[in-house]
Amino acid sequence: MLTVIGIGPGSEAMMTQEAIAALKAADIVVGYKTYTHLVKPLVGDKEIIKTGMCKEIERCQTAIELAEQGKNVVMVCSGDAGIYGMAGLILELVSQQKRNVDVRLVAGVTASTACAALLGAPLMHDFCHISLSDLLTPWEVIEKRVRAAAEADFVVCFYNPRSRGREAHLARAFNLMAPWKSAATPVGVVKAAGRKHEEKWLTTLGEMDFSRVDMRSLVIVGNQSTYIRDGRMITPRGYKV
């Protein structure tokens, strides 16, 4: 059995009971080193196989091979395994290689919903997720998606917003949205949600300080109806109040 779980943004409190049960029942836990470190208190002395960044295929291949040997393997991902996680890659490899492995997927709390709860209620109307990482997606495609989301007035959740190798990507995305979103559009940022050094702040499209954002951050840009009141970011659903 190979179980692919989302461990939420970082704290045990934001993990589902199903994910915790899967970890406790596992023979072997496989994952990116940061995520295996986060669940170490839950797995005790179980075998842990961890790899670094850019080792996704190797990590998934290892998990599949161990499960095929009859081990009860858990692959850990941050947030939800099916949202920028390893669920898709695991299923692709198992299908393409015709591996005899039973795969189970366990949902988790993704960054956007975890961060939205910390900021208020910014996702009450239509919203979308866009990753600003161009490691696997051409930047031209990302630009097209950013423009389309802004023109359609979606609330936009930016994953992978800024890193040392992509310091200007978030600023470029904001510039792309400018024709359809005013400078007063509310923006919420949460860094390291559910972890020890969690931070959050509210700003606007025109006053955004990009230097405070890193890869541990999620950025939520409101729509034309979103507002900030009493320190909360709110997107109305449309109820008559």
Side-chain angles (χ1 to χ4, degrees):
M1 166 72 76
L2 173 52
T3 305
V4 189
I5 72 171
I7 63 170
S11 66
E12 182 180 345
M14 288 189 179
M15 289 181 64
T16 67
Q17 292 300 309
E18 187 178 9
I20 293 173
L23 277 173
K24 291 181 176 180
D27 298 320
I28 303 173
V29 176
V30 181
Y32 172 52
K33 59 184 180 181
T34 298
Y35 307 149
T36 59
H37 175 73
L38 290 171
V39 300
K40 187 65 171 68
L42 293 172
V43 301
D45 59 357
K46 296 179 188 294
E47 182 179 357
I48 297 176
I49 297 175
K50 53 190 176 182
T51 61
M53 291 287 287
C54 301
K55 297 288 185 180
E56 291 84 1
I57 294 177
E58 175 185 312
R59 187 157 66 241
C60 290
Q61 198 71 61
T62 297
I64 291 168
E65 291 170 359
L66 288 168
E68 204 168 36
Q69 294 169 16
K71 303 291 186 180
N72 185 1
V73 182
V74 168
M75 165 69 75
V76 295
C77 309
S78 67
D80 182 286
I83 301 178
Y84 304 124
M86 294 293 99
L89 181 54
I90 287 285
L91 294 178
E92 285 185 86
L93 292 171
V94 168
S95 175
Q96 291 174 7
Q97 298 172 6
K98 302 185 184 305
R99 307 301 289 262
N100 184 29
V101 175
D102 184 13
V103 179
R104 182 168 68 105
L105 307 177
V106 175
V109 178
T110 191
S112 61
T113 53
C115 295
L118 293 168
L119 295 170
L123 307 183
M124 284 297 296
H125 217 303
D126 297 339
F127 66 94
C128 67
H129 294 167
I130 298 178
S131 170
L132 294 184
S133 171
D134 56 359
L135 293 177
L136 300 175
T137 305
W139 179 252
E140 294 75 17
V141 174
I142 295 172
E143 286 187 338
K144 183 178 180 180
R145 291 172 179 172
V146 171
R147 285 193 295 265
E151 184 176 7
D153 198 30
F154 280 96
V155 174
V156 183
C157 304
F158 285 115
Y159 282 63
N160 306 310
R162 189 172 180 271
S163 68
R164 291 179 182 176
R166 301 190 306 275
E167 292 186 351
H169 281 26
L170 184 60
R172 289 165 67 183
F174 273 42
N175 287 335
L176 290 169
M177 293 189 292
W180 298 281
K181 292 184 181 291
S182 74
T185 302
V187 174
V189 184
V190 179
K191 181 186 295 186
R195 302 184 191 181
K196 184 177 180 180
H197 300 294
E198 177 184 284
E199 296 180 54
K200 64 177 180 178
W201 65 93
L202 298 171
T203 183
T204 64
L205 200 74
E207 298 178 349
M208 180 70 182
D209 179 0
F210 300 105
S211 67
R212 297 180 65 186
V213 179
D214 61 16
M215 279 293 288
R216 298 172 300 157
S217 307
L218 183 114
V219 179
I220 300 180
V221 180
N223 66 16
Q224 293 181 12
S225 300
T226 305
Y227 62 90
I228 295 173
R229 182 171 299 162
D230 299 327
R232 301 279 190 171
M233 185 176 178
I234 303 167
T235 300
R237 181 72 177 91
Y239 300 108
K240 302 298 181 182
V241 295

